[in-house]
Amino acid sequence: MLKPIFEYTKGMLRVETNFCPGCTHGISHRLITETLDEMGKLGEAIGCGPIGCAVMAHKFMNVDMCECAHGRAPAVASGVKRVHPDNLVFTYQGDGDLASIGTAEIIHAAARGECFSTFFVNNAIYGMTGGQMAPTTLPGQRSTTSQTGRDTGKSGFPIRVCELLSTLDGAVYVERVALNSPAGVAKAKKAVRRAFDVQEKKLGFSFVEFVSACPTNWGLSPVAAVDFIKEKMLPYYPPGVFKSPQ
Amino acid sequence: MARFLVRIDENACKGCELCRNFCPKKLITVSAHINDKGYSPAEISREEECIGCMSCALMCPDGAISIYEEVSE
């Protein structure tokens, strides 16, 4: 007899994703829907999708979702959560969406202590639009708008969103995880679960950052991209729990 | 010793090779043929040596890998 020890979650629809080979969006999508499935909340969860590579998330995740204007997912999620206080509400956002155009929304949603969870995919570049410099692009990292590497004298410094949000009293759970190894993925799944648990207990705003890979726009193979996460991204974006409820 | 079966849905695979990179026993290889999407999919070799660690399945961004354990009735 065959006992399944790993099967693709029914939280993901069996359709082909628009992600490039080796893009870790597929992993973070799966972790969120797998966790909702394990909690038995697939039918009750409401997702707020971003603009960016994950713009089609509503076609891949087997949960009710709404699509929000660029960066405004936290504002939409605040409204959804206030109308449906007993449903699990989450936003799924990339770094261009959350850390650039949606900076005000995410900071104020966290400051108000809105009771939803945000999953932030940080791949240090604008993916969908063709690899432009993002607020999270590392110093010296090349992109199509910083072709000789990000010059911090001209373009400033990358934003560490977890550290920023953890200073706000409304944010009760803030963690950064890295999707660069099976151990990292296992840790990320625990973080997703904790974020939803915090929300279920109505403690306040919960936030998980996935340090992710963008092999296509980094110009690396998928395997080299996960090495890049470890060697270049993690020294700047150290994983860890920045804030956790007592 | 437990025996594990690794099933790779070759038409879901995009050939990123993350599974091949993270398999601690190096059991995953890249197929010589091309799948419906035009990628060279991953395939399992020496399946009997699989230890069921799930590293490949955890890293697969496309949900192409399922793992089963053979158990006696």
Side-chain angles (χ1 to χ4, degrees), chain B residues 9-15 31 33-42:
Chain B
D9 177 354
E10 73 161 54
N11 285 323
C13 177
K14 288 181 182 165
S31 173
H33 71 276
I34 288 177
N35 69 6
D36 289 356
K37 290 182 193 163
Y39 298 114
S40 299

Side-chain angles (χ1 to χ4, degrees), chain A:
Chain A
M1 201 175 80
L2 292 178
K3 187 178 94 182
I5 59 169
F6 188 99
E7 273 186 332
Y8 201 39
T9 171
K10 64 176 189 294
M12 290 294 286
L13 298 166
R14 296 275 10 182
V15 292
E16 185 182 341
T17 61
N18 59 334
F19 304 128
C20 307
C23 172
T24 51
H25 264 302
I27 302 176
S28 35
H29 274 44
R30 190 194 78 227
L31 294 177
I32 294 167
T33 53
E34 206 171 67
T35 307
L36 286 171
D37 188 19
E38 285 168 13
M39 295 171 82
K41 299 279 186 191
L42 269 181
E44 294 161 42
I46 304 171
C48 297
I51 303 296
C53 286
V55 67
M56 305 298 268
H58 59 278
K59 286 204 171 173
F60 311 140
M61 294 187 181
N62 195 6
V63 292
D64 289 327
M65 291 195 78
C66 51
E67 191 57 53
C68 313
H70 201 182
R72 271 76 212 204
V76 175
S78 302
V80 172
K81 184 68 182 180
R82 287 177 184 209
V83 176
H84 299 286
D86 297 323
N87 292 50
L88 286 182
V89 178
F90 68 93
T91 74
Y92 183 97
Q93 300 175 266
D95 48 356
D97 187 86
L98 183 141
S100 178
I101 195 162
T103 326
E105 278 73 14
I106 190 68
I107 289 180
H108 285 282
R112 293 193 303 270
E114 296 288 349
C115 210
F116 64 86
S117 308
T118 288
F119 301 105
F120 170 43
V121 175
N122 177 4
N123 56 15
I125 209 155
Y126 277 83
M128 182 184 70
T129 48
Q132 290 85 358
M133 182 171 64
T136 44
T137 298
L138 299 170
Q141 188 185 339
R142 282 195 293 209
S143 67
T144 52
T145 49
S146 58
Q147 294 183 352
T148 53
R150 180 175 185 158
D151 174 1
T152 50
K154 258 192 267 173
S155 335
F157 293 88
I159 300 174
R160 293 185 180 97
V161 180
C162 279
E163 284 84 338
L164 186 72
L165 293 182
S166 59
T167 61
L168 300 170
D169 292 340
V172 295
Y173 175 67
V174 181
E175 180 165 0
R176 182 184 288 127
V177 289
L179 301 179
N180 68 327
S181 64
V185 172
K187 260 190 202 149
K189 186 165 173 194
K190 286 193 184 125
V192 172
R193 180 63 194 247
R194 279 195 290 267
F196 281 130
D197 283 344
V198 163
Q199 182 184 159
E200 220 174 11
K201 290 181 192 149
K202 297 191 166 50
L203 298 177
F205 180 73
S206 46
F207 185 88
V208 178
E209 172 176 343
F210 301 109
V211 180
S212 302
C214 182
T216 302
N217 288 306
W218 291 354
L220 298 171
S221 72
V223 172
V226 290
D227 292 339
F228 183 91
I229 295 184
K230 190 175 169 205
E231 285 156 20
K232 301 280 167 60
M233 297 270 286
L234 295 188
Y236 203 91
Y237 299 110
V241 181
F242 293 88
K243 212 167 175 188
S244 169
Q246 297 307 313

Side-chain angles (χ1 to χ4, degrees), chain B residues 13-73:
Chain B
C13 177
K14 288 181 182 165
C16 69
E17 302 185 26
L18 288 178
C19 51
R20 185 189 60 74
N21 185 49
F22 285 102
C23 177
K25 307 286 270 183
K26 301 290 170 217
L27 304 181
I28 294 179
T29 52
V30 176
S31 173
H33 71 276
I34 288 177
N35 69 6
D36 289 356
K37 290 182 193 163
Y39 298 114
S40 299
E43 64 184 15
I44 180 94
S45 61
R46 312 198 311 276
E47 199 176 26
E48 63 285 355
E49 289 178 36
C50 176
I51 54 171
C53 68
M54 305 197 293
S55 295
C56 53
L58 283 173
M59 287 311 289
C60 179
D62 296 289
I65 303 177
S66 316
I67 303 170
Y68 300 89
E69 186 181 357
E70 240 176 32
V71 287
S72 45
E73 295 287 336

